[in-house]
């Protein structure tokens, strides 16, 4: 019998990270300079990795996603109500919200679209006598830096790519650079690190 090591040591950077977020509550809009509609807790963005797992307090409002129509819609994160979940009701646990990130969009040529989201100060909460702090825990899942972003070997992704080509609709923004399957001849495959750097550069005009 062989045993495998619990930790694999590698010279490649694993860029997964876990963030603990605390957003203090603010006083009622009538007593602060806060402007609903302008001031937000976290501005509109999409995440850079493959998927993001978000844990937050059950039912706490604030998280919103951008709809295809261009409006903001609240994302209710509620504990489940099935019989099995009720059994554990003494410890209601919020479900885990899974966000698609830019890398997964790139990897699937935009078939899976990264979610644009933001966190606002909900007006209802601001106006309540007891406005709440917001806490969330976010796990950003990224592959190792040197991972080559070869096209996902999926018939569905291939069919999607073909359909985009035929209709001439290549949404550069969705796949960030056209997607893993639309490499120009002679160009080599991007690595996860290069994709991340391109997204950081696009957001912060950050250059090495
Ligand atoms: O705090 C939240 O609910 C979301 C945070 C978030 O979107 C992020 O850190 O990327
Ligand atoms: Fe995010």
């Amino acid at each position: 019998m062989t045993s495998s090591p619990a930790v694999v040591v590698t010279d490649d950077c694993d860029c997964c990270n876990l963030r603990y977020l605390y957003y203090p509550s603010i006083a009622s809009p009538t007593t602060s300079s806060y402007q609903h509609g302008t001031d937000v807790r976290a501005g509109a963005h999409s995440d850079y990795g493959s998927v993001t797992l978000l844990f937050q307090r059950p039912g706490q409002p604030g998280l919103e996603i951008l709809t295809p129509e261009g409006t903001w819609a609240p994302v209710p994160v509620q504990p489940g109500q099935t019989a099995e979940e009720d059994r554990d009701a003494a410890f209601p646990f919020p479900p885990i919200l899974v966000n698609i990130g830019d890398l997964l969009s790139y990897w699937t040529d935009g078939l899976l679209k990264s979610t644009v989201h933001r966190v606002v100060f909900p007006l209802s909460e601001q106006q309540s006598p007891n406005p709440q702090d917001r806490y969330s825990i976010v796990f950003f899942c990224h592959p190792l830096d040197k991972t080559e972003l070869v096209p996902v070997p999926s018939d569905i992704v291939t069919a999607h790519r073909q359909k985009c080509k035929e209709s001439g609709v290549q949404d550069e923004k969705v796949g960030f650079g056209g997607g893993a399957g639309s490499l120009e001849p002679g160009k080599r495959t991007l690595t996860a690190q290069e994709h991340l750097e391109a997204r950081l550069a696009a957001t912060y005009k950050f250059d090495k």
Side-chain angles (χ1 to χ4, degrees):
M1 193 175 138
T2 57
S3 65
S4 32
V7 177
V8 178
V9 179
T10 158
D11 62 352
D12 201 358
C13 168
D14 176 0
C15 292
C16 289
N17 59 78
L18 188 67
R19 224 183 255 166
Y20 293 86
L21 295 170
Y22 164 60
Y23 309 84
S25 61
I26 55 168
S28 150
T30 51
T31 58
S32 80
S33 61
Y34 155 81
Q35 293 180 343
H36 193 79
T38 308
D39 298 330
V40 290
R41 279 173 157 159
H45 67 281
S46 54
D47 299 337
Y48 300 147
S50 51
V51 291
T52 303
L53 308 181
L54 174 75
F55 304 77
Q56 64 146 75
R57 282 173 162 170
Q60 184 167 41
L63 184 65
E64 294 184 338
I65 55 163
L66 191 61
T67 66
E69 292 73 40
T71 55
W72 289 103
V75 184
V77 181
Q78 295 287 357
Q81 293 301 321
T82 67
E84 200 186 10
E85 286 153 344
D86 278 349
R87 206 189 47 212
D88 301 324
F91 304 99
F93 195 74
I96 305 166
L97 186 101
V98 181
N99 259 332
I100 293 171
D102 295 338
L103 179 60
L104 197 52
S105 249
Y106 179 84
W107 234 330
T108 60
D109 284 306
L111 176 67
L112 301 177
K113 295 175 177 45
S114 53
T115 327
V116 176
H117 54 283
R118 67 179 187 175
V119 184
V120 297
F121 294 95
L123 199 55
S124 56
E125 206 168 84
Q126 294 307 309
Q127 289 171 334
S128 84
N130 181 25
Q132 299 291 303
D133 293 340
R134 177 181 177 83
Y135 293 89
S136 60
I137 303 176
V138 200
F139 180 74
F140 299 95
C141 191
H142 286 256
L144 295 175
D145 271 354
K146 289 178 187 159
T147 305
E148 292 190 341
L149 305 179
V150 294
V152 173
S154 149
D155 291 345
I156 302 173
V157 174
T158 309
H160 169 74
R161 186 180 312 132
Q162 194 57 33
K163 202 170 131 204
C164 291
K165 252 191 212 151
E166 282 165 13
S167 63
V169 182
Q170 186 70 24
D171 188 345
E172 289 288 317
K173 193 169 160 285
V174 163
F176 289 106
S182 50
L183 266 190
E184 287 163 30
K187 282 208 174 159
R188 67 166 177 79
T189 313
L190 274 190
T191 64
Q193 181 179 10
E194 287 164 340
H195 183 266
L196 180 61
E197 284 172 1
R199 295 298 300 121
L200 288 169
T203 311
Y204 301 110
K205 309 272 178 282
F206 159 84
D207 254 328
K208 272 204 299 183

